[in-house]
Amino acid sequence: MIKVLIVDDHALFRAGLRLILKEQDQIEVVGEAASGEEALKQAKQLLPDICLMDLQMPHGMGGIEATRRLLRLLPSCRVIALTVLGDDPFPSQLREAGAMGYLTKGCPADELVKAVRLVASGRPYIDSTVAQARMLADWQGGAASPFTELSSREFQVTLMILDGRRTQDISDTLSLSPKTVSTYRQRIYEKLGVHTDVDLTRLAFRYGLISDQPGGAAAGDGG
């Protein structure tokens, strides 16, 4: 039996995943969580084989940080990341965090089931539409996203900045000092060639990391 933990901040989406998976032989949804913090508590108690992890959770530590901590806590668990966006630079960051699967939330139900079974057997899986898009981009010489140059920790801080989180909030969530968060922010700026959170937000929109056109206000507090 493959034991699955579903982590997503939308109750309706969690219910949809549960409905799909409960119809499958040898797959059991053992729990749900609405945040990364809750996922860690659930994983410790339920010992799932697979964790379906939402990446864009607006509160708490976020999917990539939760993946890293969950796998440190429960190395036998295998994480399949879920994202709304299909053309962002998540896969490289996820590999560094330890995830073995990557699916867009719009994938067909049978692909979700296939991914759960394959990853549970120890094989990595990436959404077919994402894999095709990446293959075509490589074939056509498409420009690589600059966000792939970030470490997984830098990428996690970037996501929190883009979500409008302030330095102290990031510090508290990631158990880092505010000075360290500011150092990460500066390092991110340097690697991406930007100078402000507004520049960072515009770059993220250009490369599909966020789906909404940025407005005139800066995200976060700029340090």
Side-chain angles (χ1 to χ4, degrees):
M1 184 67 69
I2 302 171
K3 297 187 295 182
V4 178
L5 172 64
I6 299 171
V7 184
D8 194 283
D9 61 314
H10 291 98
L12 189 60
F13 185 73
R14 295 198 306 271
L17 293 181
R18 179 182 282 273
L19 188 63
I20 292 169
L21 294 175
K22 83 171 189 175
E23 301 296 326
Q24 308 302 315
D25 293 334
Q26 299 300 308
I27 295 178
E28 178 188 8
V29 177
V30 294
E32 299 180 15
S35 68
E37 288 85 351
E38 188 180 346
L40 297 180
K41 293 178 183 177
Q42 294 267 19
K44 189 174 181 179
Q45 295 175 350
L46 301 171
L47 305 178
D49 303 301
I50 294 289
C51 178
L52 296 174
M53 179 74 74
D54 181 20
L55 290 179
Q56 289 99 358
M57 292 181 287
H59 305 293
M61 67 180 67
I64 290 182
E65 180 68 14
T67 294
R68 183 187 295 108
R69 295 192 188 188
L70 186 152
L71 294 177
R72 193 181 304 144
L73 175 71
L74 190 64
S76 62
C77 184
R78 290 167 176 148
V79 174
I80 299 175
L82 303 172
T83 178
V84 175
L85 305 171
D87 56 353
D88 55 35
F90 280 137
S92 60
Q93 312 294 342
L94 286 167
R95 284 195 301 271
E96 188 177 337
M100 285 188 65
Y102 179 80
L103 290 172
T104 57
K105 291 187 176 182
C107 75
D110 59 349
E111 185 164 22
L112 169 68
V113 175
K114 178 181 178 181
V116 168
R117 295 193 187 280
L118 284 176
V119 172
S121 72
R123 297 166 60 186
Y125 189 88
I126 186 168
D127 186 296
S128 57
T129 57
V130 176
Q132 182 181 37
R134 290 182 175 277
M135 181 186 72
L136 288 173
D138 291 342
W139 190 21
Q140 297 168 355
S145 167
F147 289 93
T148 60
E149 299 300 316
L150 302 179
S151 69
S152 60
R153 175 66 84 183
E154 290 166 350
F155 192 65
Q156 179 62 28
V157 172
T158 297
L159 292 178
M160 298 178 83
I161 293 171
L162 292 172
D163 194 44
R165 308 277 285 276
R166 296 188 174 275
T167 295
Q168 189 61 55
D169 185 16
I170 298 173
S171 168
D172 294 341
T173 301
L174 299 182
S175 300
L176 301 171
S177 70
K179 182 178 179 180
T180 299
V181 173
S182 296
T183 299
Y184 272 119
R185 185 191 297 267
Q186 189 57 43
R187 195 179 302 162
I188 290 163
Y189 283 1
E190 290 173 359
K191 285 189 175 183
L192 299 179
V194 299
H195 303 286
T196 67
D197 286 358
V198 172
D199 294 339
L200 178 63
T201 304
R202 287 173 179 157
L203 188 68
F205 177 76
R206 186 186 315 156
Y207 283 93
L209 192 60
I210 55 177
S211 56
D212 297 325
Q213 174 68 49
D221 58 1

